[in-house]
Amino acid sequence: MVAVGLVGGSMALTAACGGGGGGTSGAAKADLGAGAAGSGAKASAAPTSAVPKVSKAAVSIEPKAGSVDVAPNALKIGATGGKLTTVKVSDKTGKEVPGTIAADGASWTPTAGLDVGTAYQVSAMAADADGAVATADSNFSTLTPTALAKASDNVDNDATYGVGMIVSVNFSKDVKNRDEVAKGISFETSNGTVVKGHWFDDRRLDFRPEQYWAPGTKVVVHYRLKSVELAPGVYGSDRDEPFTIGRSQISTVDAAAHKMTVVQSGQTNEIDITSGSPEHPTWNGTMVVMSKEGVVRMQSSSMPGMTGAPYDLQVPHSMRLTDSGTYVHGNYWSDAFGEDNVSHGCVGLRDVKGGGSGTTMGKFYDGTLVGDVMIVKNSTKKDTLDPANGLSGWNVPWGSW
């Protein structure tokens, strides 16, 4: 027992001194000898680290890190010698930009353009055929527009329109990049209706389907122009506009017969009318009710080239058909309905002064939607209405739209 205690004390002293003394105890020698070379045993080999493989893949990011005033559509991410596996693009709040890696893994494309005036961070990863990974990072900020252009249209949110409705977009500045702007305005339809745009000039872009809309179609217009350069340094804005197509109403005016046939949801009604006189004939062609304006003051002095007796009238139940001033409206000063054409280019239906809800025109007015179709035929004017005059784009063949 004593011997054990002495050995234990000697071990405790050795541990406390840490070998700092000149001598070494027998116990210490025994412990050291257990792994020493002098004992005849070989020392174990030190572990070695595996050398990492160098990836054959390379990731490229444009713009380079630190770039400023970058165009919103200038981001390009690609891979060579391998395939992209992960791409993350986010703004300073952490909001990620959605995008898609191409099927061949060679590139990544954002779903939409980046926001202007925004800082972004990019990290991307690619792997080669052996699974060796390469990474790259970048950070940059997009430009701040020098000017903004407003895109206004003739659609109200959640409104209901007729089957001939044409969405007409007017820009506050001339558009130079027409193709990019047209791509930035898309139509989501409940029944898959395809909608295309047609430029009438640098500031007007109209949209319609090939045929009249199907009644009940739900439509959302998506404006994604915030990141689209309309002209050098000029950008637009983003918004969504939902609307609905109501029941079908198509009215056909036979100017020679002084009749208008109204077909609403399959029901037909024939109405006596008067249209433009031989001196001031009504345009032939397809028009669309642009607006319901109620009582409108109409003056002969405002019509260039007007002949005959001057007039200044408060015209009831007026619905505009063209920019140039063609209306379908109530008429209380004539009795030529169904017999003669005496107007100055408009289509007139029987009414009373101030407009009456129970009159022929009052009933037609109340039952009409903006976007309803008006077709004029057999007018003494042989020319067809200019498609840019009002919402008259239905006069353009689909192949030319």
Side-chain angles (χ1 to χ4, degrees), residues 19-74:
T24 304
S25 70
K29 289 181 180 179
D31 290 341
L32 290 172
S39 66
K42 293 183 178 180
S44 60
T48 58
S49 300
V51 178
K53 293 181 179 179
V54 177
S55 179
K56 298 182 181 66
V59 179
S60 60
I61 301 175
E62 290 291 341
K64 300 299 184 184
S67 298
V68 296
D69 295 329
V70 175
N73 61 351

Coordinates of all heavy atoms in Angstrom, one line a residue, residues 19-74:
G19 N 8.1 17.9 -16.7 CA 9.4 17.6 -17.3 C 10.4 18.7 -17.1 O 11.4 18.7 -17.7
G20 N 10.1 19.7 -16.3 CA 11.0 20.8 -16.1 C 12.2 20.5 -15.3 O 13.2 21.2 -15.4
G21 N 12.2 19.4 -14.5 CA 13.3 19.0 -13.6 C 14.4 18.3 -14.4 O 14.2 17.9 -15.5
G22 N 15.6 18.1 -13.8 CA 16.7 17.4 -14.4 C 16.5 16.0 -14.5 O 17.1 15.3 -15.4
G23 N 15.7 15.3 -13.7 CA 15.6 13.9 -13.7 C 14.3 13.4 -14.2 O 13.4 14.2 -14.4
T24 N 14.2 12.1 -14.5 CA 13.0 11.5 -15.0 C 12.7 10.3 -14.2 O 13.5 9.4 -14.0 CB 13.1 11.1 -16.5 OG1 13.5 12.2 -17.2 CG2 11.8 10.5 -17.0
S25 N 11.5 10.1 -13.7 CA 11.1 9.0 -12.8 C 11.0 7.7 -13.7 O 10.9 7.8 -14.9 CB 9.8 9.3 -12.1 OG 8.7 9.2 -13.0
G26 N 11.0 6.6 -13.0 CA 10.9 5.3 -13.7 C 9.6 5.2 -14.3 O 9.5 4.6 -15.4
A27 N 8.5 5.7 -13.7 CA 7.2 5.6 -14.3 C 7.2 6.4 -15.5 O 6.6 6.1 -16.6 CB 6.1 6.1 -13.3
A28 N 7.8 7.6 -15.5 CA 7.8 8.5 -16.7 C 8.5 7.8 -17.8 O 8.1 7.8 -19.0 CB 8.4 9.8 -16.4
K29 N 9.7 7.1 -17.5 CA 10.4 6.4 -18.5 C 9.6 5.3 -19.1 O 9.6 5.1 -20.3 CB 11.7 5.8 -17.9 CG 12.7 6.8 -17.6 CD 13.9 6.1 -17.0 CE 15.0 7.1 -16.6 NZ 16.2 6.5 -16.1
A30 N 8.8 4.6 -18.3 CA 8.0 3.5 -18.8 C 6.9 4.1 -19.8 O 6.7 3.5 -20.8 CB 7.3 2.8 -17.6
D31 N 6.3 5.2 -19.4 CA 5.3 5.8 -20.3 C 5.9 6.2 -21.6 O 5.4 6.0 -22.7 CB 4.6 6.9 -19.6 CG 3.8 6.5 -18.4 OD1 3.4 5.3 -18.4 OD2 3.4 7.3 -17.5
L32 N 7.0 6.9 -21.5 CA 7.7 7.4 -22.7 C 8.1 6.2 -23.6 O 8.0 6.3 -24.8 CB 8.9 8.3 -22.4 CG 8.5 9.6 -21.7 CD1 9.8 10.3 -21.2 CD2 7.8 10.5 -22.7
G33 N 8.6 5.2 -23.0 CA 9.1 4.1 -23.8 C 8.1 3.3 -24.5 O 8.4 2.7 -25.5
A34 N 6.8 3.5 -24.1 CA 5.8 2.7 -24.8 C 5.7 3.1 -26.2 O 5.3 2.3 -27.1 CB 4.5 2.9 -24.0
G35 N 5.9 4.4 -26.6 CA 5.8 4.8 -28.0 C 7.1 5.2 -28.6 O 7.1 5.8 -29.6
A36 N 8.2 5.1 -27.9 CA 9.4 5.6 -28.3 C 10.0 4.7 -29.4 O 9.8 3.5 -29.4 CB 10.4 5.8 -27.2
A37 N 10.9 5.2 -30.2 CA 11.6 4.4 -31.2 C 12.5 3.4 -30.6 O 12.7 2.3 -31.2 CB 12.3 5.4 -32.2
G38 N 13.0 3.7 -29.5 CA 14.0 2.8 -28.8 C 13.3 1.5 -28.4 O 14.0 0.6 -28.1
S39 N 12.0 1.5 -28.3 CA 11.3 0.3 -27.8 C 11.2 -0.7 -28.9 O 10.8 -1.9 -28.7 CB 9.9 0.7 -27.3 OG 9.1 1.1 -28.4
G40 N 11.6 -0.3 -30.1 CA 11.5 -1.3 -31.2 C 10.2 -1.2 -32.0 O 10.1 -1.8 -33.0
A41 N 9.2 -0.4 -31.6 CA 7.9 -0.2 -32.3 C 8.1 0.9 -33.3 O 8.7 1.9 -33.0 CB 6.8 0.1 -31.3
K42 N 7.4 0.9 -34.5 CA 7.5 1.9 -35.5 C 6.5 3.0 -35.2 O 5.4 2.7 -34.7 CB 7.2 1.3 -36.9 CG 8.3 0.4 -37.4 CD 7.9 -0.1 -38.8 CE 9.0 -1.0 -39.3 NZ 8.7 -1.5 -40.7
A43 N 6.8 4.3 -35.4 CA 5.9 5.4 -35.2 C 4.8 5.4 -36.3 O 5.1 5.1 -37.4 CB 6.7 6.7 -35.2
S44 N 3.6 5.7 -35.8 CA 2.5 5.8 -36.8 C 2.6 6.9 -37.8 O 3.1 8.0 -37.4 CB 1.1 5.8 -36.1 OG 1.1 7.0 -35.3
A45 N 2.2 6.8 -39.1 CA 2.3 7.8 -40.1 C 1.3 8.9 -39.8 O 0.2 8.7 -39.4 CB 2.1 7.2 -41.5
A46 N 1.7 10.2 -40.1 CA 0.8 11.4 -40.0 C -0.2 11.3 -41.1 O 0.1 10.9 -42.2 CB 1.6 12.7 -40.1
P47 N -1.5 11.7 -40.8 CA -2.6 11.7 -41.8 C -2.3 12.7 -42.9 O -1.8 13.8 -42.6 CB -3.8 12.1 -41.0 CG -3.3 12.8 -39.8 CD -2.0 12.2 -39.5
T48 N -2.7 12.4 -44.1 CA -2.5 13.4 -45.2 C -3.9 13.8 -45.7 O -4.8 13.1 -45.8 CB -1.8 12.7 -46.4 OG1 -2.5 11.5 -46.8 CG2 -0.4 12.2 -45.9
S49 N -4.0 15.1 -46.2 CA -5.2 15.7 -46.7 C -5.3 15.5 -48.2 O -4.3 15.5 -48.9 CB -5.3 17.2 -46.4 OG -5.2 17.5 -45.0
A50 N -6.6 15.2 -48.6 CA -6.8 14.9 -50.1 C -6.6 16.2 -50.8 O -7.1 17.3 -50.4 CB -8.2 14.4 -50.3
V51 N -6.0 16.2 -52.0 CA -5.8 17.4 -52.8 C -7.2 17.7 -53.5 O -7.7 16.9 -54.2 CB -4.7 17.2 -53.8 CG1 -4.6 18.5 -54.7 CG2 -3.4 16.9 -53.1
P52 N -7.7 19.0 -53.3 CA -9.0 19.3 -53.9 C -8.9 19.3 -55.5 O -7.9 19.8 -56.0 CB -9.4 20.7 -53.4 CG -8.1 21.3 -53.0 CD -7.2 20.1 -52.5
K53 N -9.9 18.8 -56.1 CA -10.0 18.8 -57.6 C -10.2 20.2 -58.1 O -11.1 21.0 -57.5 CB -11.1 17.9 -58.1 CG -10.8 16.4 -57.8 CD -11.9 15.6 -58.4 CE -11.7 14.1 -58.1 NZ -12.8 13.3 -58.6
V54 N -9.6 20.6 -59.1 CA -9.8 21.9 -59.8 C -10.9 21.7 -60.8 O -10.8 20.9 -61.7 CB -8.5 22.4 -60.5 CG1 -8.8 23.7 -61.2 CG2 -7.5 22.7 -59.4
S55 N -12.0 22.5 -60.7 CA -13.2 22.3 -61.6 C -12.8 22.8 -63.0 O -12.2 23.8 -63.2 CB -14.4 23.0 -61.1 OG -15.5 22.9 -61.9
K56 N -13.3 22.0 -64.0 CA -13.2 22.4 -65.4 C -14.2 23.5 -65.7 O -14.2 24.1 -66.8 CB -13.3 21.2 -66.3 CG -12.2 20.2 -66.1 CD -12.4 19.0 -67.1 CE -11.4 18.0 -66.9 NZ -11.5 17.3 -65.6
A57 N -15.2 23.6 -64.8 CA -16.3 24.6 -65.1 C -15.8 26.0 -64.7 O -15.0 26.2 -63.9 CB -17.5 24.3 -64.3
A58 N -16.4 27.0 -65.4 CA -16.1 28.4 -65.1 C -17.4 29.2 -65.2 O -18.2 29.0 -66.1 CB -15.1 29.0 -66.1
V59 N -17.6 30.1 -64.2 CA -18.8 30.9 -64.2 C -18.5 32.3 -64.6 O -17.5 32.9 -64.1 CB -19.5 30.9 -62.8 CG1 -20.7 31.7 -62.7 CG2 -19.8 29.4 -62.3
S60 N -19.3 32.9 -65.5 CA -19.2 34.3 -65.9 C -20.4 35.1 -65.5 O -21.5 34.6 -65.6 CB -19.0 34.4 -67.4 OG -20.1 33.9 -68.1
I61 N -20.1 36.3 -65.0 CA -21.2 37.2 -64.6 C -20.9 38.6 -65.1 O -19.9 39.1 -65.0 CB -21.3 37.3 -63.0 CG1 -21.6 36.0 -62.4 CG2 -22.4 38.3 -62.6 CD1 -21.6 36.0 -60.9
E62 N -21.9 39.1 -65.9 CA -21.8 40.5 -66.3 C -23.1 41.2 -65.8 O -24.2 40.6 -65.9 CB -21.9 40.5 -67.9 CG -20.6 40.0 -68.5 CD -19.4 41.0 -68.3 OE1 -19.7 42.1 -67.9 OE2 -18.2 40.5 -68.4
P63 N -22.9 42.3 -65.2 CA -21.8 43.2 -65.2 C -20.8 42.8 -64.1 O -21.1 42.0 -63.2 CB -22.4 44.6 -64.8 CG -23.5 44.2 -64.0 CD -24.1 43.0 -64.6
K64 N -19.6 43.3 -64.2 CA -18.5 43.0 -63.2 C -18.8 43.6 -61.9 O -19.6 44.6 -61.8 CB -17.2 43.5 -63.8 CG -16.7 43.0 -65.1 CD -16.5 41.5 -65.0 CE -16.0 40.9 -66.3 NZ -15.9 39.4 -66.3
A65 N -18.2 43.1 -60.9 CA -18.4 43.6 -59.5 C -18.1 45.1 -59.4 O -17.1 45.5 -59.9 CB -17.6 42.8 -58.5
G66 N -19.0 45.8 -58.7 CA -18.8 47.2 -58.5 C -19.3 48.1 -59.6 O -19.2 49.3 -59.5
S67 N -20.0 47.5 -60.7 CA -20.5 48.3 -61.8 C -21.7 49.1 -61.3 O -22.4 48.7 -60.4 CB -20.9 47.4 -62.9 OG -19.8 46.7 -63.4
V68 N -21.8 50.3 -61.9 CA -22.9 51.2 -61.6 C -23.6 51.6 -62.9 O -23.1 51.4 -64.0 CB -22.5 52.5 -60.8 CG1 -21.9 52.1 -59.4 CG2 -21.4 53.2 -61.6
D69 N -24.8 52.2 -62.7 CA -25.6 52.7 -63.9 C -25.8 51.6 -64.9 O -25.7 51.8 -66.2 CB -24.9 53.9 -64.6 CG -24.9 55.1 -63.7 OD1 -25.8 55.2 -62.9 OD2 -24.0 55.9 -63.7
V70 N -26.1 50.4 -64.4 CA -26.3 49.2 -65.3 C -27.7 49.2 -65.9 O -28.6 49.4 -65.1 CB -26.0 47.9 -64.5 CG1 -26.3 46.7 -65.3 CG2 -24.5 47.9 -64.1
A71 N -27.8 48.9 -67.1 CA -29.2 48.8 -67.7 C -29.9 47.6 -67.1 O -29.3 46.5 -66.8 CB -29.1 48.6 -69.2
P72 N -31.2 47.7 -66.9 CA -31.9 46.6 -66.2 C -31.9 45.3 -67.0 O -32.2 44.2 -66.4 CB -33.4 47.2 -66.1 CG -33.2 48.6 -66.2 CD -32.0 48.9 -67.1
N73 N -31.7 45.3 -68.3 CA -31.6 44.1 -69.0 C -30.2 43.6 -69.3 O -30.0 42.7 -70.2 CB -32.4 44.2 -70.3 CG -31.8 45.3 -71.2 OD1 -30.9 46.1 -70.8 ND2 -32.3 45.5 -72.4
A74 N -29.2 44.1 -68.6 CA -27.8 43.8 -68.9 C -27.2 42.6 -68.2 O -26.1 42.2 -68.4 CB -27.0 45.1 -68.7

